[in-house]
Amino acid sequence: MSVLKEDFLWGGATAANQYEGAWDVDGKGPSISDMCTNGSHTRPKRVTPVLEEGTLYPSHEATDFYHHYKEDIALAAEMGFRCFRMSINWSRIFPTGMEALPNEAGLQFYDRVFDELKKYDMEPIVTISHYEIPYALVEKYNGWYSRKVIDCFFHYCEVLFERYQNKVKYWLTFNEINSGTLPMGAVLSLGCIRGYCGPVTEVPDEKQIRYQGLHHQFVASARAVKLAHEKYPCFRMGCMTLFATKYPYTCNPDDILKCQREMRRMNWFTSDVQVRGTYPSYMNRFFEENNITIQKAAGDDELLKTGTVDFFTFSYYMSTCETSDPAAAAAAGGNLIGGCANPYLKASDWGWPIDPKGLRYSLNEIYDRYQIPLMVVENGLGAYDRKETDGSIHDDYRIAYLRQHIEQMKEAVKDGVDLMGYTPWGWIDVVSASTGEMAKRYGFVYVEKYDDGTGDLRRRKKDSFYWYQKVIRSNGEDL
Ligand code: BGP
């Protein structure tokens, strides 16, 4: 008997903007991601309101799933995937986001993909919006800041649900919806950039705009969930949170309180709305202290109550520490998403703290709070991979990382957590979301694509490919 359920959803995760390429093919319009340049760990990627001649925009070709989907799905099947997390590129279906009629060629592409998955009995897990708002909506409305975008998104959902009702059962409305609480979320997640041109790490911190945009995403998500529940009862609707758990740096009560405050604002707020159906009262103080006023329309609160999700999904890459002492914070060094470094943990080459036990802790905390099924839909190690002269890639560091995280997932299941599945991020190499580079690779499958835009897109199995195949075959027992 294995620890994990017999029908545990093993698979891998991707997103259209980082994987598909074909950014202007068959009628697709540009999305916010298509306006972002490449970058690196030390050189931030930039958003440019107008495409610059001679600049590399990595989403334009990415690793070209558009033209390799058959080959890639066969590779996923070879590993034994039972599910396949992907996203639909909104601007492939509605090039500006505002059309009345969808782009038939775009719809047909996903028909082909879903049919291919079906051949291998793989369940698609579809993110409706994964950092892919059509750029025309960014230009016209300042993205999600405008309420108008709710109707555009809802129409997009109506079309997807009707078209794919017999092909897709699991839907996630917004990827990492809580990234809108971070300044960088204004770019990829909310598209509230008002013509800003520059590094995504330096986008102005406009809380009023971001939290209003988030409100519109909550309403849009709830409307989509409500529609699904009413019209397509076999659908299972999920939320998706970037869960970077936080620990108090010391047992000083000031650290404890700061940690609680940051946990709520960053990790709990958005899912409290999406799972429980109301704004949590702790946010009132934050809104007051930051001069934020959320404009709600009549009926919004009611809608949030009726559009709550069926399951909770999240990405898990790291934990961080919170300290109330500025000197301690400075000494410990920073983290990408705030907080300070944990002296007990090592970090990846990109400075992301590695904390498998934090995954067990998070699963327990989330399940205690919501009591609905959970799924880890992103996790993994972004690393520099070295291709040997014979073409092999020995990524034992990746295997070690994933093994430790799966071990802790199993501990969480023993602790009583209802866990549906696991889809490590970027199961095949894709463009990095935060830095726009190819050098940060997560895959079991290597793709010949490099940071200068060269590479013939050939696929190669890394050592981790065979390891993950064995893990799935044994339902997580042979690690
Ligand atoms: C999450 C995103 C993904 C993905 C992942 C890894 O935030 O949902 O799109 O890219 O992080 O991040 P990165 O690519 O920056 O290493």
Side-chain angles (χ1 to χ4, degrees):
M1 261 271 290
S2 53
V3 173
L4 302 171
K5 298 177 184 184
E6 283 310 316
D7 59 354
F8 191 77
L9 289 169
W10 291 102
T14 58
N17 77 85
Q18 290 159 261
Y19 183 27
E20 254 176 27
W23 77 293
D24 60 353
V25 171
D26 293 337
K28 183 183 168 297
S31 77
I32 182 76
S33 294
D34 296 323
M35 312 307 284
C36 291
T37 70
N38 68 347
S40 72
H41 183 27
T42 48
R43 181 175 52 87
K45 71 179 198 179
R46 293 177 298 120
V47 57
T48 64
V50 176
L51 292 181
E52 296 168 355
E53 210 43 52
T55 295
L56 193 69
Y57 291 87
S59 69
H60 291 194
E61 185 181 54
T63 44
D64 200 24
F65 178 61
Y66 198 79
H67 298 107
H68 291 75
Y69 70 94
K70 283 194 178 182
E71 179 186 353
D72 291 358
I73 291 172
L75 284 164
E78 196 181 329
M79 275 185 283
F81 279 23
R82 299 172 187 168
C83 73
F84 190 95
R85 179 176 175 229
M86 53 179 276
S87 69
I88 292 185
N89 224 328
W90 185 351
S91 61
R92 199 175 287 295
I93 310 300
F94 290 100
T96 69
M98 291 173 269
E99 294 81 356
L101 292 178
N103 171 29
E104 179 57 30
L107 289 170
Q108 282 174 10
F109 169 65
Y110 297 104
D111 272 323
R112 293 196 293 278
V113 169
F114 296 141
D115 292 346
E116 199 66 19
L117 292 172
K118 176 106 195 134
K119 264 198 348 214
Y120 298 99
D121 254 344
M122 254 183 265
E123 197 73 65
I125 299 190
V126 173
T127 319
I128 300 172
S129 181
H130 192 136
Y131 301 159
E132 290 141 353
I133 182 173
Y135 193 63
L137 293 176
V138 174
E139 279 184 309
K140 177 145 186 198
Y141 294 126
N142 196 21
W144 279 99
Y145 183 59
S146 165
R147 220 185 145 85
K148 294 249 174 27
V149 176
I150 299 175
D151 286 336
C152 303
F153 178 82
F154 185 67
H155 183 44
Y156 166 54
C157 291
E158 286 176 315
V159 167
L160 298 188
F161 292 174
E162 193 57 25
R163 176 81 168 213
Y164 304 126
Q165 55 181 306
N166 299 316
K167 299 184 179 185
V168 178
K169 173 175 165 194
Y170 296 100
W171 301 89
L172 312 180
T173 51
F174 289 93
N175 180 66
E176 294 187 332
I177 189 166
N178 59 325
S179 58
T181 66
L182 304 167
M184 215 165 129
V187 185
L188 289 179
S189 183
L190 292 163
C192 301
I193 56 169
R194 287 196 297 185
Y196 170 79
C197 181
V200 295
T201 44
E202 286 169 32
V203 63
D205 180 7
E206 296 178 307
K207 291 192 182 61
Q208 171 64 41
I209 290 181
R210 290 205 315 279
Y211 282 88
Q212 184 65 50
L214 265 174
H215 178 69
H216 296 146
Q217 290 189 331
F218 293 150
V219 172
S221 174
R223 272 182 79 183
V225 171
K226 186 166 179 274
L227 170 71
H229 286 162
E230 285 169 1
K231 213 170 160 193
Y232 309 96
C234 62
F235 284 6
R236 305 271 285 132
M237 304 299 295
C239 60
M240 200 298 201
T241 298
L242 183 183
F243 205 89
T245 206
K246 294 177 185 293
Y247 304 130
Y249 191 61
T250 71
C251 52
N252 179 338
D254 286 337
D255 286 6
I256 309 286
L257 281 170
K258 176 146 191 236
C259 184
Q260 180 181 57
R261 201 170 64 232
E262 288 305 307
M263 270 301 281
R264 286 170 159 179
R265 188 191 60 80
M266 159 82 197
N267 287 310
W268 294 126
F269 161 47
T270 55
S271 51
D272 278 354
V273 176
Q274 291 186 292
V275 181
R276 293 170 159 171
T278 45
Y279 270 67
S281 55
Y282 57 75
M283 284 306 281
N284 293 338
R285 181 170 185 175
F286 173 80
F287 291 151
E288 262 164 45
E289 289 178 356
N290 289 279
N291 294 319
I292 297 168
T293 312
I294 307 288
Q295 301 289 338
K296 293 185 183 173
D300 280 3
D301 284 333
E302 200 39 49
L303 196 62
L304 296 182
K305 278 204 187 75
T306 46
T308 56
V309 294
D310 307 315
F311 65 110
F312 178 104
T313 80
F314 66 108
S315 61
Y316 178 83
Y317 293 94
M318 67 181 97
S319 62
T320 65
C321 292
E322 290 299 331
T323 171
S324 52
D325 172 4
N335 276 314
L336 177 80
I337 49 172
C340 66
N342 185 332
Y344 297 96
L345 301 177
K346 294 204 168 59
S348 77
D349 288 341
W350 275 261
W352 292 18
I354 299 173
D355 182 16
K357 288 184 181 151
L359 175 57
R360 173 181 179 184
Y361 174 73
S362 303
L363 282 160
N364 272 285
E365 289 293 294
I366 299 165
Y367 192 62
D368 271 359
R369 195 175 184 106
Y370 299 133
Q371 300 281 305
I372 57 174
L374 310 185
M375 183 160 175
V376 181
V377 293
E378 282 186 35
N379 171 236
L381 181 69
Y384 294 106
D385 286 338
R386 201 180 75 230
K387 194 179 71 176
E388 306 294 337
T389 39
D390 65 357
S392 56
I393 299 105
H394 304 304
D395 56 342
D396 48 315
Y397 37 89
R398 179 167 296 110
I399 293 173
Y401 177 104
L402 293 169
R403 177 187 291 126
Q404 289 164 13
H405 283 78
I406 296 172
E407 274 164 6
Q408 294 303 319
M409 247 169 35
K410 287 166 64 180
E411 290 302 318
V413 169
K414 289 190 202 158
D415 293 337
V417 169
D418 180 358
L419 185 63
M420 298 163 61
Y422 180 59
T423 55
W425 173 252
W427 68 269
I428 180 165
D429 292 345
V430 297
V431 176
S432 157
S434 56
T435 62
E437 69 197 309
M438 270 313 302
K440 191 181 189 189
R441 295 174 184 267
Y442 286 84
F444 304 121
V445 175
Y446 187 90
V447 181
E448 299 266 0
K449 179 75 194 284
Y450 303 102
D451 281 330
D452 59 1
T454 61
D456 62 9
L457 300 166
R458 179 171 164 187
R459 275 66 173 145
R460 292 175 188 277
K461 296 169 194 170
K462 305 182 195 176
D463 287 357
S464 57
F465 181 98
Y466 302 100
W467 172 80
Y468 195 50
Q469 184 179 52
K470 181 185 76 166
V471 170
I472 298 178
R473 223 175 254 157
S474 64
N475 204 32
E477 289 303 296
D478 188 357
L479 293 173

